[in-house]
Amino acid sequence: MLQPSYQADVVVVGAGVAGLSAAHRLTSAGVTTIVLEAAPWVGGRMSTEKVDGFRLDRIGQLLSTAFPELRRTPGLDGLVLRPFAPGVVLHSDGRLHRTGTPAGGGSARGALHTVRALASAPRAQALSRVPQTPRSQAGPRPLGTAVDHARLRTALARLAATPVERVLARPEAPAGQALAARGLPARTIDGFLRPLLAALLCDPELTTSSRCADLALRAFAAGRLCVPEGGAETLPELLARTLPPGTLHTGVRATAVSTTSVTTAEHGEFRCRAVLLATDARSAAALLPGLRVPDFHPVTVLHHTADEPPRTANALVLDADRGGPVAHTAVASAVDPSRAPAGRALISSTVLGVPPADLDAAVRAHLARLYGTSTRRWETLAIHHTAEAVPAMRPPHDLRRPVRVMAGLYVCGDHRDTSTVQGALHSGHRASTAILSDLGGTLHSAPTARAA
């Protein structure tokens, strides 16, 4: 029984996907919860700007249907994932090298249905997204010879079948160095694996832990790259809508935390039995001095519109030659038609690292080469630069950083796991499990949790 002075069992500070998923699990277990968010919206970095009918993501993080937490997290049953198809397209030596048939086939109407379809897909079909060059197309292949291509497919198939525990037990080194020791030819590594990993990890120099890189490649081999229908904000908004009325409070900034209370600038003190910090790493360290603040990878996303979309279907285009600032680009309105008004094309491109001074001009010139068309008449809708977009995961990297600081005080977020949506959701899962254990209840014993 709660004392009358308590306002909630748990106060969650931060309404990103980690905090929202944790709050959903807590409330489903019968734990009274309050979520406080300083911004006027939920989602943190997973936000979407609306401009003249366009939906423009601030950070274009790629999802994978192989992320386990997408199907484990309560509240995401209604998530619709739009896959890139035919998948990845490599631009090399002035030509586009298209992928084969996407895994799973058909359309992705809902994350759970897509993941279940993929789980039953044959392994050979699941790996048919490895880039292939049509026989009629002249010029060198970005992956080397047909034998090199077969070796890559075999390596990815083996990685997709490797248990996560074995991946995490491998020797750890910077991903760029570890690639050279995999026995694959240099052209395959430089022409495909490096640009692919840079896009998946938002790390152009591949300083990320090789274990984290292997997890990213494993998800790529086992699932499909995709984006949420309606923009990145759809995922946190779905989680927020599942919370009981009165749980979520936006525009409330926390100024101090303890094991039994959260002090805010706007509404004074909230009393509780436990506090969960679910903010970004820097904000968490400001409230709880002593928490480690990692380095970050900056990400810049540029959104352009055109009357006619470039002819790349709804594929993700990578530059194997790295001949400009764009790491990856896609006709976002072809992947997800809800992101642009009828009759308009939305082209979204991602620049990793510190952007050049003449960013828009450099990106337009690069996109003209990648898409093989003039970009002079394209309209720039938005340029979103996030200096601390993705926490760096340099070795040695602890993928399971403790979520329990002490009894009554917990922390979660992508900086406690992998720097992905999967990592953020998983850290929220771990934190809610720890809180329920410490408060004397379990998620599985609550009737509301079983119903959910």
Side-chain angles (χ1 to χ4, degrees), residues 377-407:
R377 298 185 63 183
W378 289 11
E379 177 187 351
T380 303
L381 294 171
I383 299 177
H384 295 140
H385 175 71
T386 307
E388 297 186 349
V390 178
M393 299 183 288
R394 298 188 180 96
H397 180 73
D398 185 359
L399 282 82
R400 300 293 180 264
R401 296 185 67 82
V403 293
R404 182 189 288 105
V405 179
M406 63 182 71

PDB file of all heavy atoms in Angstrom, residues 377-407:
ATOM      1  N   ARG A 377      16.521  21.835 -59.950  1.00  0.00           N
ATOM      2  CA  ARG A 377      15.158  22.324 -59.713  1.00  0.00           C
ATOM      3  C   ARG A 377      14.541  21.710 -58.453  1.00  0.00           C
ATOM      4  O   ARG A 377      13.386  21.990 -58.147  1.00  0.00           O
ATOM      5  CB  ARG A 377      14.283  22.034 -60.926  1.00  0.00           C
ATOM      6  CG  ARG A 377      14.760  22.738 -62.201  1.00  0.00           C
ATOM      7  CD  ARG A 377      13.798  22.510 -63.349  1.00  0.00           C
ATOM      8  NE  ARG A 377      12.484  23.077 -63.066  1.00  0.00           N
ATOM      9  CZ  ARG A 377      11.427  22.970 -63.886  1.00  0.00           C
ATOM     10  NH1 ARG A 377      11.542  22.314 -65.029  1.00  0.00           N
ATOM     11  NH2 ARG A 377      10.271  23.508 -63.552  1.00  0.00           N
ATOM     12  N   TRP A 378      15.292  20.895 -57.759  1.00  0.00           N
ATOM     13  CA  TRP A 378      14.765  20.341 -56.520  1.00  0.00           C
ATOM     14  C   TRP A 378      14.675  21.429 -55.457  1.00  0.00           C
ATOM     15  O   TRP A 378      15.542  22.306 -55.354  1.00  0.00           O
ATOM     16  CB  TRP A 378      15.671  19.227 -56.014  1.00  0.00           C
ATOM     17  CG  TRP A 378      15.634  17.971 -56.823  1.00  0.00           C
ATOM     18  CD1 TRP A 378      15.051  17.788 -58.043  1.00  0.00           C
ATOM     19  CD2 TRP A 378      16.215  16.715 -56.468  1.00  0.00           C
ATOM     20  NE1 TRP A 378      15.237  16.508 -58.474  1.00  0.00           N
ATOM     21  CE2 TRP A 378      15.949  15.823 -57.525  1.00  0.00           C
ATOM     22  CE3 TRP A 378      16.941  16.264 -55.374  1.00  0.00           C
ATOM     23  CZ2 TRP A 378      16.370  14.497 -57.514  1.00  0.00           C
ATOM     24  CZ3 TRP A 378      17.365  14.949 -55.349  1.00  0.00           C
ATOM     25  CH2 TRP A 378      17.082  14.071 -56.411  1.00  0.00           C
ATOM     26  N   GLU A 379      13.630  21.346 -54.651  1.00  0.00           N
ATOM     27  CA  GLU A 379      13.434  22.314 -53.560  1.00  0.00           C
ATOM     28  C   GLU A 379      13.919  21.707 -52.253  1.00  0.00           C
ATOM     29  O   GLU A 379      13.611  20.560 -51.934  1.00  0.00           O
ATOM     30  CB  GLU A 379      11.955  22.677 -53.432  1.00  0.00           C
ATOM     31  CG  GLU A 379      11.643  23.625 -52.282  1.00  0.00           C
ATOM     32  CD  GLU A 379      10.153  23.820 -52.080  1.00  0.00           C
ATOM     33  OE1 GLU A 379       9.365  23.354 -52.928  1.00  0.00           O
ATOM     34  OE2 GLU A 379       9.781  24.415 -51.038  1.00  0.00           O
ATOM     35  N   THR A 380      14.694  22.470 -51.498  1.00  0.00           N
ATOM     36  CA  THR A 380      15.155  22.021 -50.190  1.00  0.00           C
ATOM     37  C   THR A 380      14.072  22.308 -49.160  1.00  0.00           C
ATOM     38  O   THR A 380      13.719  23.469 -48.929  1.00  0.00           O
ATOM     39  CB  THR A 380      16.459  22.716 -49.784  1.00  0.00           C
ATOM     40  OG1 THR A 380      17.457  22.473 -50.780  1.00  0.00           O
ATOM     41  CG2 THR A 380      16.957  22.206 -48.449  1.00  0.00           C
ATOM     42  N   LEU A 381      13.550  21.270 -48.538  1.00  0.00           N
ATOM     43  CA  LEU A 381      12.488  21.432 -47.553  1.00  0.00           C
ATOM     44  C   LEU A 381      13.024  21.673 -46.146  1.00  0.00           C
ATOM     45  O   LEU A 381      12.475  22.486 -45.400  1.00  0.00           O
ATOM     46  CB  LEU A 381      11.600  20.176 -47.548  1.00  0.00           C
ATOM     47  CG  LEU A 381      10.784  19.911 -48.808  1.00  0.00           C
ATOM     48  CD1 LEU A 381      10.137  18.533 -48.720  1.00  0.00           C
ATOM     49  CD2 LEU A 381       9.724  20.980 -48.993  1.00  0.00           C
ATOM     50  N   ALA A 382      14.083  20.976 -45.794  1.00  0.00           N
ATOM     51  CA  ALA A 382      14.631  21.111 -44.439  1.00  0.00           C
ATOM     52  C   ALA A 382      16.019  20.499 -44.390  1.00  0.00           C
ATOM     53  O   ALA A 382      16.338  19.577 -45.149  1.00  0.00           O
ATOM     54  CB  ALA A 382      13.721  20.439 -43.408  1.00  0.00           C
ATOM     55  N   ILE A 383      16.837  21.036 -43.488  1.00  0.00           N
ATOM     56  CA  ILE A 383      18.147  20.475 -43.177  1.00  0.00           C
ATOM     57  C   ILE A 383      18.207  20.346 -41.665  1.00  0.00           C
ATOM     58  O   ILE A 383      18.190  21.335 -40.945  1.00  0.00           O
ATOM     59  CB  ILE A 383      19.301  21.354 -43.694  1.00  0.00           C
ATOM     60  CG1 ILE A 383      19.234  21.494 -45.214  1.00  0.00           C
ATOM     61  CG2 ILE A 383      20.646  20.772 -43.267  1.00  0.00           C
ATOM     62  CD1 ILE A 383      20.300  22.419 -45.788  1.00  0.00           C
ATOM     63  N   HIS A 384      18.255  19.114 -41.176  1.00  0.00           N
ATOM     64  CA  HIS A 384      18.283  18.852 -39.747  1.00  0.00           C
ATOM     65  C   HIS A 384      19.662  18.328 -39.352  1.00  0.00           C
ATOM     66  O   HIS A 384      20.050  17.230 -39.765  1.00  0.00           O
ATOM     67  CB  HIS A 384      17.216  17.807 -39.370  1.00  0.00           C
ATOM     68  CG  HIS A 384      15.818  18.265 -39.600  1.00  0.00           C
ATOM     69  ND1 HIS A 384      14.830  17.443 -40.104  1.00  0.00           N
ATOM     70  CD2 HIS A 384      15.239  19.469 -39.403  1.00  0.00           C
ATOM     71  CE1 HIS A 384      13.694  18.121 -40.197  1.00  0.00           C
ATOM     72  NE2 HIS A 384      13.925  19.346 -39.768  1.00  0.00           N
ATOM     73  N   HIS A 385      20.377  19.108 -38.562  1.00  0.00           N
ATOM     74  CA  HIS A 385      21.684  18.686 -38.074  1.00  0.00           C
ATOM     75  C   HIS A 385      21.585  18.410 -36.583  1.00  0.00           C
ATOM     76  O   HIS A 385      21.141  19.249 -35.804  1.00  0.00           O
ATOM     77  CB  HIS A 385      22.748  19.760 -38.324  1.00  0.00           C
ATOM     78  CG  HIS A 385      24.092  19.410 -37.730  1.00  0.00           C
ATOM     79  ND1 HIS A 385      24.886  18.413 -38.251  1.00  0.00           N
ATOM     80  CD2 HIS A 385      24.754  19.903 -36.650  1.00  0.00           C
ATOM     81  CE1 HIS A 385      25.996  18.314 -37.527  1.00  0.00           C
ATOM     82  NE2 HIS A 385      25.940  19.204 -36.550  1.00  0.00           N
ATOM     83  N   THR A 386      21.993  17.213 -36.170  1.00  0.00           N
ATOM     84  CA  THR A 386      21.980  16.815 -34.770  1.00  0.00           C
ATOM     85  C   THR A 386      23.397  16.443 -34.383  1.00  0.00           C
ATOM     86  O   THR A 386      23.916  15.400 -34.820  1.00  0.00           O
ATOM     87  CB  THR A 386      21.028  15.630 -34.533  1.00  0.00           C
ATOM     88  OG1 THR A 386      19.733  15.943 -35.068  1.00  0.00           O
ATOM     89  CG2 THR A 386      20.906  15.325 -33.047  1.00  0.00           C
ATOM     90  N   ALA A 387      24.030  17.287 -33.579  1.00  0.00           N
ATOM     91  CA  ALA A 387      25.434  17.071 -33.231  1.00  0.00           C
ATOM     92  C   ALA A 387      25.620  15.828 -32.372  1.00  0.00           C
ATOM     93  O   ALA A 387      26.618  15.119 -32.499  1.00  0.00           O
ATOM     94  CB  ALA A 387      25.988  18.300 -32.511  1.00  0.00           C
ATOM     95  N   GLU A 388      24.677  15.538 -31.484  1.00  0.00           N
ATOM     96  CA  GLU A 388      24.772  14.372 -30.608  1.00  0.00           C
ATOM     97  C   GLU A 388      23.648  13.402 -30.952  1.00  0.00           C
ATOM     98  O   GLU A 388      22.780  13.086 -30.146  1.00  0.00           O
ATOM     99  CB  GLU A 388      24.726  14.800 -29.144  1.00  0.00           C
ATOM    100  CG  GLU A 388      25.902  15.687 -28.750  1.00  0.00           C
ATOM    101  CD  GLU A 388      25.949  16.006 -27.271  1.00  0.00           C
ATOM    102  OE1 GLU A 388      24.957  15.709 -26.563  1.00  0.00           O
ATOM    103  OE2 GLU A 388      26.974  16.543 -26.808  1.00  0.00           O
ATOM    104  N   ALA A 389      23.704  12.916 -32.189  1.00  0.00           N
ATOM    105  CA  ALA A 389      22.614  12.097 -32.694  1.00  0.00           C
ATOM    106  C   ALA A 389      22.678  10.667 -32.187  1.00  0.00           C
ATOM    107  O   ALA A 389      21.673  10.105 -31.727  1.00  0.00           O
ATOM    108  CB  ALA A 389      22.625  12.108 -34.225  1.00  0.00           C
ATOM    109  N   VAL A 390      23.862  10.053 -32.258  1.00  0.00           N
ATOM    110  CA  VAL A 390      23.989   8.629 -31.952  1.00  0.00           C
ATOM    111  C   VAL A 390      25.175   8.430 -31.014  1.00  0.00           C
ATOM    112  O   VAL A 390      26.297   8.813 -31.356  1.00  0.00           O
ATOM    113  CB  VAL A 390      24.191   7.802 -33.230  1.00  0.00           C
ATOM    114  CG1 VAL A 390      24.373   6.326 -32.901  1.00  0.00           C
ATOM    115  CG2 VAL A 390      23.010   7.993 -34.184  1.00  0.00           C
ATOM    116  N   PRO A 391      24.962   7.853 -29.828  1.00  0.00           N
ATOM    117  CA  PRO A 391      26.094   7.584 -28.927  1.00  0.00           C
ATOM    118  C   PRO A 391      27.108   6.645 -29.579  1.00  0.00           C
ATOM    119  O   PRO A 391      26.742   5.641 -30.194  1.00  0.00           O
ATOM    120  CB  PRO A 391      25.431   6.925 -27.712  1.00  0.00           C
ATOM    121  CG  PRO A 391      24.005   7.372 -27.758  1.00  0.00           C
ATOM    122  CD  PRO A 391      23.671   7.496 -29.211  1.00  0.00           C
ATOM    123  N   ALA A 392      28.390   6.991 -29.473  1.00  0.00           N
ATOM    124  CA  ALA A 392      29.442   6.149 -30.039  1.00  0.00           C
ATOM    125  C   ALA A 392      29.573   4.866 -29.231  1.00  0.00           C
ATOM    126  O   ALA A 392      29.381   4.850 -28.013  1.00  0.00           O
ATOM    127  CB  ALA A 392      30.762   6.908 -30.057  1.00  0.00           C
ATOM    128  N   MET A 393      29.924   3.787 -29.931  1.00  0.00           N
ATOM    129  CA  MET A 393      30.062   2.466 -29.290  1.00  0.00           C
ATOM    130  C   MET A 393      31.470   1.918 -29.558  1.00  0.00           C
ATOM    131  O   MET A 393      31.635   0.824 -30.096  1.00  0.00           O
ATOM    132  CB  MET A 393      29.002   1.506 -29.824  1.00  0.00           C
ATOM    133  CG  MET A 393      27.583   1.929 -29.559  1.00  0.00           C
ATOM    134  SD  MET A 393      26.362   0.716 -30.148  1.00  0.00           S
ATOM    135  CE  MET A 393      26.509   0.938 -31.935  1.00  0.00           C
ATOM    136  N   ARG A 394      32.470   2.686 -29.202  1.00  0.00           N
ATOM    137  CA  ARG A 394      33.847   2.260 -29.451  1.00  0.00           C
ATOM    138  C   ARG A 394      34.241   1.158 -28.454  1.00  0.00           C
ATOM    139  O   ARG A 394      33.779   1.127 -27.320  1.00  0.00           O
ATOM    140  CB  ARG A 394      34.799   3.443 -29.328  1.00  0.00           C
ATOM    141  CG  ARG A 394      34.522   4.546 -30.351  1.00  0.00           C
ATOM    142  CD  ARG A 394      35.584   5.617 -30.334  1.00  0.00           C
ATOM    143  NE  ARG A 394      35.295   6.649 -31.313  1.00  0.00           N
ATOM    144  CZ  ARG A 394      34.670   7.789 -31.050  1.00  0.00           C
ATOM    145  NH1 ARG A 394      34.293   8.041 -29.808  1.00  0.00           N
ATOM    146  NH2 ARG A 394      34.433   8.670 -31.990  1.00  0.00           N
ATOM    147  N   PRO A 395      35.112   0.246 -28.869  1.00  0.00           N
ATOM    148  CA  PRO A 395      35.542  -0.820 -27.961  1.00  0.00           C
ATOM    149  C   PRO A 395      36.466  -0.283 -26.878  1.00  0.00           C
ATOM    150  O   PRO A 395      37.227   0.655 -27.132  1.00  0.00           O
ATOM    151  CB  PRO A 395      36.290  -1.781 -28.900  1.00  0.00           C
ATOM    152  CG  PRO A 395      36.763  -0.930 -30.041  1.00  0.00           C
ATOM    153  CD  PRO A 395      35.710   0.135 -30.215  1.00  0.00           C
ATOM    154  N   PRO A 396      36.414  -0.844 -25.681  1.00  0.00           N
ATOM    155  CA  PRO A 396      35.454  -1.880 -25.260  1.00  0.00           C
ATOM    156  C   PRO A 396      34.083  -1.266 -24.954  1.00  0.00           C
ATOM    157  O   PRO A 396      34.012  -0.236 -24.279  1.00  0.00           O
ATOM    158  CB  PRO A 396      36.096  -2.455 -24.001  1.00  0.00           C
ATOM    159  CG  PRO A 396      36.873  -1.301 -23.430  1.00  0.00           C
ATOM    160  CD  PRO A 396      37.384  -0.517 -24.610  1.00  0.00           C
ATOM    161  N   HIS A 397      33.045  -1.886 -25.478  1.00  0.00           N
ATOM    162  CA  HIS A 397      31.693  -1.358 -25.281  1.00  0.00           C
ATOM    163  C   HIS A 397      30.849  -2.388 -24.551  1.00  0.00           C
ATOM    164  O   HIS A 397      30.728  -3.537 -25.001  1.00  0.00           O
ATOM    165  CB  HIS A 397      31.050  -1.024 -26.629  1.00  0.00           C
ATOM    166  CG  HIS A 397      29.653  -0.483 -26.495  1.00  0.00           C
ATOM    167  ND1 HIS A 397      29.397   0.789 -26.030  1.00  0.00           N
ATOM    168  CD2 HIS A 397      28.443  -1.055 -26.736  1.00  0.00           C
ATOM    169  CE1 HIS A 397      28.094   0.990 -26.008  1.00  0.00           C
ATOM    170  NE2 HIS A 397      27.495  -0.115 -26.425  1.00  0.00           N
ATOM    171  N   ASP A 398      30.276  -1.975 -23.431  1.00  0.00           N
ATOM    172  CA  ASP A 398      29.402  -2.833 -22.646  1.00  0.00           C
ATOM    173  C   ASP A 398      27.982  -2.683 -23.178  1.00  0.00           C
ATOM    174  O   ASP A 398      27.346  -1.645 -22.999  1.00  0.00           O
ATOM    175  CB  ASP A 398      29.466  -2.452 -21.160  1.00  0.00           C
ATOM    176  CG  ASP A 398      28.666  -3.399 -20.280  1.00  0.00           C
ATOM    177  OD1 ASP A 398      28.053  -4.334 -20.827  1.00  0.00           O
ATOM    178  OD2 ASP A 398      28.656  -3.195 -19.057  1.00  0.00           O
ATOM    179  N   LEU A 399      27.492  -3.717 -23.852  1.00  0.00           N
ATOM    180  CA  LEU A 399      26.154  -3.657 -24.428  1.00  0.00           C
ATOM    181  C   LEU A 399      25.056  -3.797 -23.386  1.00  0.00           C
ATOM    182  O   LEU A 399      23.880  -3.609 -23.718  1.00  0.00           O
ATOM    183  CB  LEU A 399      25.972  -4.757 -25.479  1.00  0.00           C
ATOM    184  CG  LEU A 399      26.611  -4.504 -26.840  1.00  0.00           C
ATOM    185  CD1 LEU A 399      28.069  -4.852 -26.836  1.00  0.00           C
ATOM    186  CD2 LEU A 399      25.888  -5.285 -27.909  1.00  0.00           C
ATOM    187  N   ARG A 400      25.424  -4.161 -22.181  1.00  0.00           N
ATOM    188  CA  ARG A 400      24.418  -4.325 -21.126  1.00  0.00           C
ATOM    189  C   ARG A 400      24.843  -3.512 -19.905  1.00  0.00           C
ATOM    190  O   ARG A 400      24.966  -4.042 -18.808  1.00  0.00           O
ATOM    191  CB  ARG A 400      24.253  -5.806 -20.779  1.00  0.00           C
ATOM    192  CG  ARG A 400      23.793  -6.680 -21.950  1.00  0.00           C
ATOM    193  CD  ARG A 400      22.381  -6.334 -22.386  1.00  0.00           C
ATOM    194  NE  ARG A 400      21.944  -7.179 -23.498  1.00  0.00           N
ATOM    195  CZ  ARG A 400      22.023  -6.837 -24.769  1.00  0.00           C
ATOM    196  NH1 ARG A 400      22.526  -5.662 -25.100  1.00  0.00           N
ATOM    197  NH2 ARG A 400      21.588  -7.645 -25.710  1.00  0.00           N
ATOM    198  N   ARG A 401      25.041  -2.214 -20.121  1.00  0.00           N
ATOM    199  CA  ARG A 401      25.403  -1.358 -18.995  1.00  0.00           C
ATOM    200  C   ARG A 401      24.289  -1.410 -17.948  1.00  0.00           C
ATOM    201  O   ARG A 401      23.107  -1.457 -18.288  1.00  0.00           O
ATOM    202  CB  ARG A 401      25.619   0.084 -19.456  1.00  0.00           C
ATOM    203  CG  ARG A 401      26.789   0.247 -20.418  1.00  0.00           C
ATOM    204  CD  ARG A 401      27.034   1.705 -20.747  1.00  0.00           C
ATOM    205  NE  ARG A 401      27.500   2.434 -19.579  1.00  0.00           N
ATOM    206  CZ  ARG A 401      28.759   2.447 -19.157  1.00  0.00           C
ATOM    207  NH1 ARG A 401      29.680   1.763 -19.818  1.00  0.00           N
ATOM    208  NH2 ARG A 401      29.107   3.126 -18.091  1.00  0.00           N
ATOM    209  N   PRO A 402      24.650  -1.422 -16.657  1.00  0.00           N
ATOM    210  CA  PRO A 402      23.632  -1.592 -15.610  1.00  0.00           C
ATOM    211  C   PRO A 402      22.550  -0.520 -15.698  1.00  0.00           C
ATOM    212  O   PRO A 402      22.825   0.660 -15.934  1.00  0.00           O
ATOM    213  CB  PRO A 402      24.434  -1.465 -14.314  1.00  0.00           C
ATOM    214  CG  PRO A 402      25.835  -1.825 -14.695  1.00  0.00           C
ATOM    215  CD  PRO A 402      26.011  -1.350 -16.100  1.00  0.00           C
ATOM    216  N   VAL A 403      21.309  -0.939 -15.522  1.00  0.00           N
ATOM    217  CA  VAL A 403      20.186  -0.003 -15.496  1.00  0.00           C
ATOM    218  C   VAL A 403      19.823   0.372 -14.063  1.00  0.00           C
ATOM    219  O   VAL A 403      19.115   1.351 -13.845  1.00  0.00           O
ATOM    220  CB  VAL A 403      18.956  -0.606 -16.212  1.00  0.00           C
ATOM    221  CG1 VAL A 403      19.227  -0.766 -17.700  1.00  0.00           C
ATOM    222  CG2 VAL A 403      18.562  -1.942 -15.592  1.00  0.00           C
ATOM    223  N   ARG A 404      20.289  -0.398 -13.099  1.00  0.00           N
ATOM    224  CA  ARG A 404      20.027  -0.093 -11.695  1.00  0.00           C
ATOM    225  C   ARG A 404      21.232   0.642 -11.104  1.00  0.00           C
ATOM    226  O   ARG A 404      22.309   0.071 -10.943  1.00  0.00           O
ATOM    227  CB  ARG A 404      19.771  -1.374 -10.899  1.00  0.00           C
ATOM    228  CG  ARG A 404      19.433  -1.132  -9.426  1.00  0.00           C
ATOM    229  CD  ARG A 404      19.410  -2.412  -8.617  1.00  0.00           C
ATOM    230  NE  ARG A 404      18.275  -3.255  -8.904  1.00  0.00           N
ATOM    231  CZ  ARG A 404      18.333  -4.375  -9.620  1.00  0.00           C
ATOM    232  NH1 ARG A 404      19.508  -4.762 -10.129  1.00  0.00           N
ATOM    233  NH2 ARG A 404      17.258  -5.115  -9.833  1.00  0.00           N
ATOM    234  N   VAL A 405      21.070   1.938 -10.821  1.00  0.00           N
ATOM    235  CA  VAL A 405      22.130   2.704 -10.171  1.00  0.00           C
ATOM    236  C   VAL A 405      22.196   2.341  -8.700  1.00  0.00           C
ATOM    237  O   VAL A 405      23.260   2.109  -8.135  1.00  0.00           O
ATOM    238  CB  VAL A 405      21.900   4.218 -10.356  1.00  0.00           C
ATOM    239  CG1 VAL A 405      22.985   5.033  -9.661  1.00  0.00           C
ATOM    240  CG2 VAL A 405      21.833   4.572 -11.836  1.00  0.00           C
ATOM    241  N   MET A 406      21.040   2.298  -8.081  1.00  0.00           N
ATOM    242  CA  MET A 406      20.859   1.835  -6.705  1.00  0.00           C
ATOM    243  C   MET A 406      19.379   1.528  -6.546  1.00  0.00           C
ATOM    244  O   MET A 406      18.569   1.865  -7.428  1.00  0.00           O
ATOM    245  CB  MET A 406      21.306   2.899  -5.684  1.00  0.00           C
ATOM    246  CG  MET A 406      20.498   4.179  -5.740  1.00  0.00           C
ATOM    247  SD  MET A 406      21.077   5.440  -4.578  1.00  0.00           S
ATOM    248  CE  MET A 406      22.617   5.915  -5.344  1.00  0.00           C
ATOM    249  N   ALA A 407      19.013   0.884  -5.470  1.00  0.00           N
ATOM    250  CA  ALA A 407      17.601   0.576  -5.247  1.00  0.00           C
ATOM    251  C   ALA A 407      16.789   1.867  -5.221  1.00  0.00           C
ATOM    252  O   ALA A 407      17.061   2.765  -4.429  1.00  0.00           O
ATOM    253  CB  ALA A 407      17.427  -0.190  -3.945  1.00  0.00           C
TER     254      ALA A 407
END
